[in-house]
Amino acid sequence: MLRTALRNVLAHKARLMMTALAVLLGVAFVAGTLIFSDSVGEAVKNASAKNLKDVAVSVQATDSAPDAPDAVDAEKDGKRATALDDKIADRIRALPGVASVRANVTGEATLAGPDDQPVGNGWQNRAVNYQPGKDGKDSRYPLLQGRGPADGGEIALAESTAKAAGVRLGDTVRFATDGPVLKKKLVGIVASDDPQVTAGGSLALFDTATAQRLYLHPGQFDELVVAAAPGTDERALTAKVREVLPKDRAEATSGAELAAEQSRMIAQQNSALSKTLLTFAGIALFVGVFIIANTFTMLISQRSREIALLRAVGASRRQVVRSVLAEAALLGLISSVVGFALGLGIAVGLRAVLDANGAGFPDGPVVISPSTVGAALAVGVVVTVLAAWLPSRKAAKIAPVEALSSVEAPPAMRSLVLRNTIGAVITGLGVAVMFYVSTLKSGDDLPIAMLGSMLTLVGVIILAPLLSRPLVSLAGLVTIRLFGVGGKLAKENALRNPRRTAATGSALMIGLTLITGMTVVGHSAQLGMDKMAANGLAADYKVTTSTYVGLDPALSKKVAKVPGVAAMAPLRGTGFSTGDGAPGEGGFGYLRGTDLTQIDKVARLTFTHGSLDAVRAAGAIAVSEKGAKDHGWHVGDTVSVSFDEKKKTRLKVAAVYKENEALGEAFGDVSLVDPHLLRFKNEELLVKAAGDPSPALVKDIRHALGDSPLLKVQSREDLRKENAGQIDTVVNMVYGLLGMAVIIAVVGVVNTLAMSVFERTREIGMLRAIGLARSGIKQMVRLESVVISLFGAVLGMGVGIFLAWAGGSLVGSSFPTYEMVLPWGRLGLFLLIALVVGVLAALWPARRAARLNMLEAIGAQ
């Protein structure tokens, strides 16, 4: 029986090739994801380990330091305050077992590139202090050119940063830390293996005094890195270091603990992407199951005489099952091996694509672990064997005498009735869950929506044979009217075996269900965001900073005086809490302060109760409808709130307005917010132009704010594109990943048609004999393919639209302007793609059918 299975695989190479391709693509996705995740994780881990190579103990200032009065004052002047200073560093140096102590100052510095655009990736733009030893060099940052910075007018850069900024030794480097542009002379270029820098960030180095002046205060440090003398126990040294630290103001962590924490964080970061990719790999394999089951069902029907002979000469039912499963396992193994090789290419390509788009993964080798190889091969083999299990049972049930006298028996009606009953129950349950989901408003209910979507999709797949008859008949009306006899034959062929048509169409349906659902939700969300921005923002420009460090209020006032600016309103805010602070009581919110004399010129406000004039009264605020509902506030109420620094304040609710993205849930005059700010910075500026917006005005605004590379001056169109970009990125990624499922579905259509042509060899010969031309045969096969493809597309798009409608309420919870809008253009494109898929998938089977010899076909058994 094993030899029989092997012979069957070799005898039907062409027929099984398409099935193998379906398994191959799914396995490639799984293998590529696992190899990519392992390779990136190992590269980041190695880079982190190298970065921590000489770290025995790391001492860092804790977040509790700002509770001290001097720390609060320090925050208000824009600088951090820490408890780490030269005295503590000297105490640690004096401990036995300490080889050296490195006192680090760290911050962020964004450099201006040749085109005045920021260099690096935002939060990864590091700035540190250069610490020369007795030889004048810092071993942590080896010099490649020049020397280290020695005074406040000098700077050194990492080699990659200098290249990105387009500067050389002796050039003036323009950069910003938290406000206006600063300038320093480039005196040195260094090498760095810092993972943040190698991953696309930038690195600037200052002398210690300058770094403290920019980010801390004289004599203060962010971190003390302790190197141990040879033979020193790391844990014991960490305990000794903790004893000399000020209580609750600093903490010591051993190098081993830091390495373990970094490994955990790396695994966590890779986990989300890996799970996403594996989800789509699962979808691809799920689609492949239909093709595999379909193929083996058809092969068993074609080999019924052979199976009958095996049974007649003594083969048991169990041996027949094993033979089919062995054939499936062999096919799965071969496909998995090739798929694994393709997955290796996918992993390398994915890493290159992400790096090209700014991911900046550290360099490292491709990692292929035994578990990855085992998992990829096991997945391919198990999926193939499971998909072939039902067809193998069908093969074992063939009675020898019946099979010898009949090529193919129609499926029993009882099984269809049972299938339809089960499908109706599962579909009804899924639809009921989705109707319940349509009443939910929180994104936390997403698991319920996913469960309902899965039940609905599975139920429709089970019901597909029943649904195929009316949908294919409807399509047949069109094909008959347009193509006559060829269209009628195509319709009858598609209806001849509803199970086969359903399985083939379901493969395409799954991909289009997910693609349609994501497209409808993404399109509706984008229109909702555009509507919210249009309804809430009257300003022509929004000015922010790329790293959210805020804008200097003194400089902000200059923007209002720029020629061509009609109005400018700053926005800055702080968090607050309600209630008496008891666990489970009260809530949290965010109050924005602005210039109440200008805000109505830059924001579109619609008040449902009260007015802006009422808000201008001392101590009054306006609250959004959602904010009022959440906190239980009404116009005229005087409410008690606690701001971030725990100061209780009483505020009067003077107005309620419709949701406004620019102003959030509550706003008032800046005088209400300023006393509670630790850092006196504007979060953003809303600017209204006197005439038409122009690039010249943008340039003048940037100049008024010091031409800092941190600045973002965005028009309403820029904001729309930014929002659209976030949604489009997700939708396009889904298109790309689900495209794999659609490709596999196309393979399924080709496979089904090719094997169907083989089954109908005698029939095709008879059609040719009674006068149907070769072109008619081609047309019949093509139309059958189109009908099956359109059946899967219509069913998938219908289910996708329903799921998008039901689950849209969860998206709508993020913004009230969400409303489901069907993107008719894209839906029409999907139908067109399905039509093209049908035509292309039929090219080879149609050509093969048309080339059959008439007499040989009539005589075929």
Side-chain angles (χ1 to χ4, degrees):
M1 295 304 292
L2 184 60
R3 285 199 301 271
T4 300
L6 181 61
R7 182 185 62 79
N8 284 329
V9 171
L10 297 176
H12 303 100
K13 295 187 289 292
R15 300 181 205 171
L16 292 175
M17 184 175 65
M18 294 296 181
T19 306
L21 186 58
V23 181
L24 181 153
L25 291 174
V27 171
F29 222 144
V30 172
T33 299
L34 295 176
I35 293 172
F36 169 79
S37 180
D38 289 345
S39 299
V40 170
E42 189 66 20
V44 176
K45 189 182 296 184
N46 290 340
S48 298
K50 189 175 180 181
N51 199 40
L52 294 172
K53 181 178 61 175
D54 296 323
V55 179
V57 184
S58 172
V59 179
Q60 295 182 329
T62 61
D63 293 336
S64 59
D67 288 338
D70 61 329
V72 173
D73 291 338
E75 287 288 344
K76 286 189 174 182
D77 69 9
K79 297 178 182 179
R80 303 185 306 276
T82 77
L84 302 181
D85 54 23
D86 289 315
K87 292 181 180 179
I88 295 176
D90 290 339
R91 288 182 205 160
I92 296 174
R93 288 189 183 95
L95 292 173
V98 173
S100 65
V101 174
R102 182 180 181 86
N104 293 335
V105 180
T106 59
E108 293 171 3
T110 302
L111 277 68
D115 53 358
D116 284 334
Q117 293 301 308
V119 172
N121 294 331
W123 298 108
Q124 292 179 298
N125 293 336
R126 298 195 66 217
V128 300
N129 58 320
Y130 188 83
Q131 303 174 54
K134 294 179 180 179
D135 60 355
K137 298 178 181 179
D138 188 336
S139 59
R140 178 68 183 81
Y141 301 104
L143 281 167
L144 299 177
Q145 297 180 46
R147 57 178 177 80
D151 58 48
E154 298 177 344
I155 189 174
L157 299 176
E159 184 179 27
S160 59
T161 304
K163 184 177 180 181
V167 292
R168 299 179 179 180
L169 285 181
D171 289 349
T172 298
V173 177
R174 299 173 63 249
F175 68 97
T177 57
D178 65 351
V181 69
L182 302 173
K183 298 179 181 180
K184 295 188 186 296
K185 182 180 178 181
L186 180 61
V187 296
I189 295 178
V190 304
S192 173
D193 56 10
D194 189 317
Q196 288 189 356
V197 179
T198 57
S202 65
L203 176 66
L205 300 99
F206 309 101
D207 66 283
T208 298
T210 300
Q212 289 172 333
R213 187 164 60 251
L214 288 172
Y215 305 108
L216 299 173
H217 290 82
Q220 294 184 347
F221 304 99
D222 289 296
E223 180 186 27
L224 301 176
V225 178
V226 182
T232 303
D233 183 84
E234 194 173 279
R235 290 187 179 181
L237 182 59
T238 303
K240 292 178 183 177
V241 169
R242 286 173 180 155
E243 292 175 1
V244 301
L245 298 179
K247 189 177 181 181
D248 298 329
R249 300 292 301 277
E251 60 183 8
T253 307
S254 69
E257 291 173 328
L258 282 177
E261 177 64 16
Q262 286 200 0
S263 296
R264 186 189 65 79
M265 290 177 65
I266 292 166
Q268 210 170 38
Q269 290 168 359
N270 286 341
S271 174
L273 179 59
S274 297
K275 286 179 180 177
T276 301
L277 294 174
L278 286 174
T279 297
F280 287 103
I283 293 171
L285 287 168
F286 184 56
V287 172
V289 166
F290 291 91
I291 298 170
I292 298 165
N294 216 14
T295 301
F296 274 94
T297 298
M298 296 173 74
L299 284 174
I300 285 165
S301 296
Q302 293 169 15
R303 298 207 308 257
S304 56
R305 287 180 181 272
E306 177 187 320
I307 294 170
L309 285 172
L310 289 172
R311 295 276 287 114
V313 297
S316 66
R317 289 187 174 186
R318 182 173 297 180
Q319 285 178 310
V320 171
V321 171
R322 287 176 179 174
S323 174
V324 175
L325 293 183
E327 186 178 340
L330 185 59
L331 175 68
L333 181 61
I334 295 171
S335 304
S336 298
V337 170
V338 180
F340 185 85
L342 180 61
L344 181 60
I346 289 175
V348 174
L350 179 61
R351 183 168 178 175
V353 168
L354 292 176
D355 276 338
N357 285 277
F361 296 116
D363 293 332
V366 175
V367 177
I368 303 176
S369 66
S371 60
T372 297
V373 177
L377 297 182
V379 164
V381 173
V382 169
V383 166
T384 309
V385 170
L386 287 178
W389 182 68
L390 285 177
S392 72
R393 288 176 58 84
K394 180 183 177 183
K397 290 178 181 179
I398 295 176
V401 175
E402 269 183 48
L404 286 171
S405 61
S406 175
V407 174
E408 181 181 3
M413 185 59 66
R414 179 183 300 175
S415 64
L416 283 176
V417 171
L418 179 62
R419 175 173 178 158
N420 292 340
T421 302
I422 295 173
V425 170
I426 295 177
T427 303
L429 182 60
V431 170
V433 172
M434 292 310 295
F435 272 112
Y436 170 68
V437 168
S438 68
T439 65
L440 303 176
K441 300 296 182 185
S442 173
D444 295 335
D445 297 314
L446 182 61
I448 302 176
M450 293 177 67
L451 173 63
S453 299
M454 183 181 70
L455 288 173
T456 303
L457 188 57
V458 170
V460 172
I461 290 171
I462 297 174
L463 282 177
L466 178 66
L467 298 172
S468 67
R469 185 163 293 278
L471 290 176
V472 170
S473 297
L474 185 63
L477 295 177
V478 178
T479 59
I480 292 172
R481 180 175 293 274
L482 294 178
F483 302 100
V485 174
K488 183 175 178 62
L489 288 172
K491 185 197 81 168
E492 294 301 328
N493 287 332
L495 290 175
R496 177 179 299 184
N497 192 327
R499 292 171 178 268
R500 183 184 302 168
T501 299
T504 307
S506 293
L508 185 61
M509 182 201 78
I510 295 168
L512 278 176
T513 295
L514 300 173
I515 288 174
T516 301
M518 286 297 300
T519 298
V520 172
V521 171
H523 179 73
S524 302
Q526 182 55 59
L527 291 180
M529 294 179 74
D530 289 348
K531 186 177 180 181
M532 179 182 288
N535 291 345
L537 193 65
D540 295 303
Y541 297 105
K542 183 165 81 168
V543 184
T544 56
T545 56
S546 58
T547 55
Y548 307 102
V549 295
L551 298 157
D552 187 342
L555 282 175
S556 301
K557 292 178 181 179
K558 294 182 179 180
V559 174
K561 300 177 182 178
V562 171
V565 171
M568 187 281 291
L571 291 174
R572 48 185 182 263
T574 184
F576 66 82
S577 61
T578 61
D580 59 7
E585 293 186 9
F588 298 92
Y590 196 80
L591 176 64
R592 286 199 160 189
T594 187
D595 184 347
L596 297 180
T597 65
Q598 300 292 310
I599 191 61
D600 56 336
K601 299 174 184 176
V602 296
R604 294 188 176 96
L605 290 166
T606 302
F607 290 95
T608 56
H609 298 88
S611 65
L612 185 59
D613 288 334
V615 181
R616 288 169 178 153
I621 62 171
V623 186
S624 69
E625 288 181 319
K626 184 177 183 301
K629 181 180 178 181
D630 291 345
H631 297 296
W633 293 346
H634 302 87
V635 171
D637 289 351
T638 298
V639 298
S640 179
V641 299
S642 298
F643 286 96
D644 286 344
E645 80 291 2
K646 312 302 182 187
K647 292 181 181 177
K648 284 260 187 179
T649 305
R650 295 182 67 80
L651 302 172
K652 181 180 179 180
V653 179
V656 175
Y657 57 92
K658 290 187 176 181
E659 304 306 317
N660 187 294
E661 185 182 19
L663 293 172
E665 67 173 329
F667 74 90
D669 191 75
V670 289
S671 61
L672 297 179
V673 171
D674 289 352
H676 311 289
L677 294 178
L678 290 178
R679 297 194 67 187
F680 194 60
K681 294 279 188 178
N682 287 323
E683 296 169 2
E684 56 190 62
L685 307 178
L686 302 181
V687 180
K688 178 72 175 176
D692 293 332
S694 67
L697 181 57
V698 173
K699 186 176 181 180
D700 291 341
I701 292 172
R702 294 185 65 92
H703 184 67
L705 290 168
D707 287 321
S708 171
L710 294 173
L711 287 176
K712 290 172 65 177
V713 183
Q714 296 172 291
S715 65
R716 275 184 281 180
E717 180 62 18
D718 293 333
L719 293 171
R720 191 199 69 76
K721 288 180 180 178
E722 185 176 71
N723 292 333
Q726 296 170 359
I727 295 175
D728 287 346
T729 298
V730 175
V731 173
N732 289 336
M733 183 183 73
V734 171
Y735 283 172
L737 295 172
L738 290 178
M740 182 74 74
V742 175
I743 291 172
I744 294 174
V746 173
V747 170
V749 176
V750 175
N751 209 17
T752 298
L753 288 173
M755 300 185 76
S756 180
V757 166
F758 177 82
E759 284 184 351
R760 301 203 304 266
T761 299
R762 178 182 291 183
E763 176 186 320
I764 292 170
M766 291 296 295
L767 288 172
R768 292 276 292 115
I770 61 176
L772 189 62
R774 292 181 187 272
S775 59
I777 297 293
K778 287 183 179 180
Q779 184 186 74
M780 177 186 72
V781 176
R782 281 198 299 265
L783 289 175
E784 181 183 352
S785 175
V786 168
V787 167
I788 293 174
S789 297
L790 288 178
F791 160 67
V794 170
L795 197 60
M797 290 169 62
V799 175
I801 291 171
F802 168 72
L803 297 180
W805 168 79
S809 60
L810 304 183
V811 181
S813 64
S814 302
F815 47 93
T817 53
Y818 178 87
E819 182 179 355
M820 194 181 91
V821 179
L822 295 179
W824 293 109
R826 291 192 184 185
L827 296 181
L829 179 62
F830 295 160
L831 276 178
L832 180 61
I833 290 173
L835 182 65
V836 172
V837 163
V839 173
L840 294 178
L843 288 178
W844 177 61
R847 184 168 178 269
R848 182 171 179 267
R851 294 180 64 182
L852 289 174
N853 182 280
M854 186 191 310
L855 295 178
E856 290 180 358
I858 292 174
Q861 297 296 319

